[in-house]
Amino acid sequence: MVVFLNGEYLPADQAHVGVMTHALSYGTGVFEGLRGYWNDEAAETYIFRAREHFERMLRSCRIMNFTLPYTVDELVEISRELVRRNGLRENCYIRPFAYKADEIIGVKLHGLTDHFTMYTVPMGDYVSTTGLRTGVSSWRRVDDNMIPARAKISGAYVNSAFAKTEALQNGFDEAIMLTAEGHVSEGSAENIFLLLNNELVTPSPSENILQGVTRDTVIQLARRELDRITRERQIDRTELYCADEIFFTGTGAQIAPVVEVDHRPIGTGNVGPLAAEIQRLYADVVRGRRAEYMDWCVPVFGKVARSKTPSAASHLAAAHNGHKPVRARSRHVAAGTTKE
Ligand SMILES: Cc1ncc(COP(=O)(O)O)c(C=O)c1O
């Protein structure tokens, strides 16, 4: 396995962090999760909506005081190169991660050294896509003025982990989290949609959600393909119980229908027709089987259409090495951890 670390492609067993690393102690990292989908007929792995994921990553970086020496185009190119170098002609997951790398004691965000890594692994389903049994979590979603959910901050995933573990230990498949005020927010790592009185609704961005790329994809597909406008609004807990259909969306979860909330069947208690239709559409779109959505699919092995992307890996290394704090840190890591 080859990983990307601070401007270089390295064997995974040479990419290490020290036990004192700031992000390990304090959760001071931001990350993304992208999927690559293998299309047999096209003999191609397509990375789905790579630009949008990296745009969100750079927004997370702004919130968390990170400066990355890469543009969105360069990050897209690193992800393509990484999948290529790992020869992943199959469905895969890509995890870019920026982290505060200093080996110090002291909680803060400023004046620290930013490192950046990316790795990719083969991946199938993250949760079942044939009907999830869920429970409303006793853990509330982090608030924007606590740990902003709109940024994908590694430390915030402790909040998700509390909810997910509680749900699994209570015999459910997934958690639904409420905001501190008691309105529906999202799943542990998924956005949520409800079909209520024949209207598609989802919590608005101010409900402490991560604004999902899949959420946006579903809003666009529902409008363009199914003539349905999604209403973004505040949703009460008990509206969950009254919904005709509920489904989660996420890069990991894909389109995952919910068939039960707090032991109450949703609709008929089976996967609903709207969720099934969106699942079918999504499965085709992400694999590059729909010409009108090909600009969402970034080919790994073939040429990128209309690309502004500079392709040379050496250019990326140069960009990273031009970023002084990282260069200083990289040398230290190479001397202290990688080789010993
Ligand atoms: C907390 C949370 N909400 C929502 C999502 C869905 O976001 P996306 O569709 O961009 O993967 C994720 C997954 O990344 C997540 O971790």
Side-chain angles (χ1 to χ4, degrees):
M1 179 173 160
V2 175
V3 304
F4 182 86
L5 179 65
N6 296 333
E8 287 179 279
Y9 295 93
L10 300 169
D13 62 2
Q14 286 179 27
H16 296 294
V17 294
V19 291
M20 285 182 66
T21 301
H22 199 272
L24 190 59
S25 291
Y26 302 118
T28 47
V30 299
F31 66 100
E32 267 304 319
L34 301 81
R35 265 189 191 265
Y37 286 92
W38 173 247
N39 177 323
D40 221 9
E41 302 88 70
E44 184 58 278
T45 301
Y46 293 110
I47 304 175
F48 190 61
R49 300 196 74 178
R51 288 194 63 82
E52 288 82 351
H53 279 282
F54 289 120
E55 281 164 4
R56 184 172 66 191
M57 179 146 196
L58 294 186
R59 289 196 297 275
S60 296
C61 283
R62 274 202 243 172
I63 291 172
M64 283 285 284
N65 258 313
F66 277 92
T67 311
L68 291 192
Y70 306 117
T71 62
V72 166
D73 284 333
E74 287 167 343
L75 290 166
V76 171
E77 187 53 30
I78 295 168
S79 64
R80 294 178 68 219
E81 179 70 22
L82 196 60
V83 176
R84 258 198 307 267
R85 286 188 185 225
N86 283 284
L88 292 176
R89 296 173 185 276
E90 59 188 308
N91 295 346
C92 58
Y93 187 79
I94 302 160
R95 167 57 51 82
F97 183 48
Y99 57 99
K100 299 291 179 189
D102 304 73
E103 298 189 26
I104 58 159
I105 307 294
V107 186
K108 59 176 185 172
L109 289 176
H110 69 287
L112 297 171
T113 311
D114 303 337
H115 278 197
F116 176 74
T117 185
M118 201 187 299
Y119 59 86
T120 179
V121 288
M123 186 155 139
D125 285 348
Y126 173 73
V127 291
S128 164
T129 52
T130 56
L132 294 169
R133 296 178 54 251
T134 66
V136 171
S137 183
S138 69
W139 296 94
R140 295 294 170 100
R141 189 79 181 116
V142 283
D143 185 80
D144 193 50
N145 287 296
M146 297 172 183
I147 305 177
R150 79 182 64 254
K152 214 165 158 58
I153 299 169
S154 54
Y157 279 77
V158 172
N159 183 232
S160 294
F162 273 125
K164 180 81 178 201
T165 286
E166 179 190 60
L168 294 177
Q169 290 182 342
N170 285 342
F172 297 121
D173 302 313
E174 186 52 277
I176 297 176
M177 299 187 76
L178 306 180
T179 63
E181 291 74 35
H183 300 115
V184 176
S185 180
E186 58 182 337
S188 70
E190 309 89 4
N191 294 118
I192 190 167
F193 286 73
L194 287 72
L195 183 67
L196 263 170
N197 301 323
N198 204 28
E199 187 179 46
L200 193 55
V201 294
T202 192
S204 48
S206 54
E207 299 301 310
N208 294 314
I209 62 167
L210 180 78
Q211 275 177 268
V213 173
T214 322
R215 176 183 182 274
D216 178 71
T217 302
V218 165
I219 290 172
Q220 292 202 47
L221 290 178
R223 178 170 49 80
R224 289 160 69 173
E225 303 294 327
L226 308 174
D227 221 9
R228 278 189 181 276
I229 300 299
T230 306
R231 216 166 128 211
E232 298 173 77
R233 67 162 172 87
Q234 207 165 65
I235 298 172
D236 286 335
R237 173 187 187 151
T238 50
E239 291 186 275
L240 292 168
Y241 304 156
C242 303
D244 294 314
E245 290 191 37
I246 298 179
F247 56 90
F248 286 127
T249 66
T251 300
Q254 306 174 105
I255 312 298
V258 171
V259 294
E260 200 180 295
V261 179
D262 290 344
H263 305 287
R264 292 160 175 83
I266 299 307
T268 60
N270 298 305
V271 173
L274 179 62
E277 181 68 38
I278 291 177
Q279 268 185 328
R280 275 192 294 274
L281 271 171
Y282 187 77
D284 280 347
V285 166
V286 295
R287 286 171 180 78
R289 292 195 197 121
R290 294 285 297 254
E292 59 275 44
Y293 298 103
M294 280 308 284
D295 54 345
W296 282 347
C297 299
V298 179
V300 164
F301 298 101
K303 278 216 173 76
V304 181
R306 292 182 290 110
S307 174
K308 290 173 269 160
T309 308
S311 60
S314 58
H315 167 73
L316 300 171
H320 208 123
N321 288 337
H323 186 64
K324 282 214 176 68
V326 173
R327 184 162 79 185
R329 180 70 200 137
S330 297
R331 283 211 192 101
H332 177 70
V333 169
T337 320
T338 311
K339 302 268 195 284
E340 282 164 20

